[in-house]
Amino acid sequence: MESHRLWYIRNVELFHSLKDEDIEAISSQSTCVDFVRGQEICASGNGNRYAYIIRTGNVRLIMHSPSGKQLTVAILKPGDVIGGSDLFGTETHGESAEAISPCTLFKVPVDLLYGFAKDRPEFSLRINKEVNKSRMLVMNRMQDVLFLTVMERLARLILRLADEFPGTTTSGKRFVNIRLTHQEFADLIGANREAVSATLIKMRRSRCVSSVQGYLVLIDEEALKGTASQQAAA
């Protein structure tokens, strides 16, 4: 198990600039933890003592509003790291991480990574880029919520998820290779579940998408792209 963990951590993109002894330190000081679907992994603003490396499963990052509403700003995959912004003390208020499938993660002390960030400029730069990317995701999601219709937001989301979680049917159609509930789609575009369900029904009736065993299949990508770009063309 230890050798497998070392191999896996060494291949995490964020850690490519670290030395072999750094990777070995991360491996030896990390522990393997399991989460079930819907379980909170960490909450922002709580002074998290650990960062997490996703080994298997998927995790969503959620931004919470003061009124209790939530917006999913990203879905993370194996190899992604949760908690990089803790190293700079700049986490977005109200952001948390939650498992959206059974997950196995490596839990790493933040203090260990913080030491590397102080002493390794290239590693610090990589983390800073990840933090800035997370901020941009939040900004882009907020702009979509403010300016796009539910139909336009959902079309954009489906196309993006098909790129991030690619799958291809036997007939050559692309599909989103991750199962999401209507509520999870709603959280990803800042809408309510009823609006998302109604919009998906419209998309199915117009033969833009279909659902097969819980996976969303892109039947007419050109129509989806047309819907997703309507705001830009307006």
Side-chain angles (χ1 to χ4, degrees), residues 60 71-72 153-154 157-158 161 176 178-193 196-197 200 204 214-216:
R60 65 171 178 162
L71 177 68
T72 300
R153 279 180 264 162
L154 193 54
L157 173 65
I158 292 169
L161 291 177
V176 178
I178 181 174
R179 288 190 177 99
L180 297 172
T181 66
H182 286 195
Q183 184 60 59
E184 287 165 340
F185 275 113
D187 291 341
L188 277 161
I189 64 171
N192 60 57
R193 182 186 58 79
V196 166
S197 296
L200 284 171
R204 290 190 185 101
Y215 296 100
L216 207 59

Side-chain angles (χ1 to χ4, degrees), residues 33-67:
V33 290
D34 296 316
F35 293 87
V36 298
R37 180 183 175 90
Q39 185 176 358
E40 183 178 77
I41 295 168
C42 59
S44 177
N46 289 350
N48 295 305
R49 296 171 52 204
Y50 298 97
Y52 297 85
I53 306 165
I54 303 175
R55 180 187 175 198
T56 62
N58 296 106
V59 173
R60 65 171 178 162
L61 295 182
I62 312 166
M63 185 178 68
H64 300 274
S65 73
S67 64

Side-chain angles (χ1 to χ4, degrees), residues 155-226:
R156 285 191 177 191
L157 173 65
I158 292 169
L159 289 166
R160 187 178 77 247
L161 291 177
D163 291 335
E164 294 177 359
F165 301 91
T168 306
T169 68
T170 54
S171 61
K173 296 291 185 181
R174 293 206 301 158
F175 69 91
V176 178
N177 196 14
I178 181 174
R179 288 190 177 99
L180 297 172
T181 66
H182 286 195
Q183 184 60 59
E184 287 165 340
F185 275 113
D187 291 341
L188 277 161
I189 64 171
N192 60 57
R193 182 186 58 79
E194 293 78 11
V196 166
S197 296
T199 303
L200 284 171
I201 288 172
K202 290 179 182 178
M203 287 182 168
R204 290 190 185 101
R205 287 176 176 170
S206 63
R207 298 293 297 164
C208 288
V209 300
S210 67
S211 182
V212 179
Q213 296 181 349
Y215 296 100
L216 207 59
V217 181
L218 286 65
I219 302 298
D220 190 342
E221 283 204 48
E222 291 306 312
L224 284 172
K225 290 176 182 176

Side-chain angles (χ1 to χ4, degrees), residues 107-156:
K107 185 169 72 171
V108 185
V110 164
D111 286 347
L112 176 66
L113 300 183
Y114 182 67
F116 294 154
K118 287 197 302 182
D119 300 335
R120 317 278 194 273
E122 188 175 345
F123 180 57
S124 179
L125 180 61
R126 280 178 176 266
I127 294 175
N128 204 14
K129 285 182 178 179
E130 288 299 312
V131 172
N132 289 332
K133 185 170 71 173
S134 179
R135 289 173 179 164
M136 287 301 299
L137 284 171
V138 172
M139 291 177 61
N140 290 338
R141 297 294 185 275
M142 294 305 297
Q143 286 181 341
D144 284 355
V145 171
L146 289 172
F147 300 114
L148 301 182
T149 66
V150 172
M151 178 72 77
E152 290 163 348
R153 279 180 264 162
L154 193 54
R156 285 191 177 191

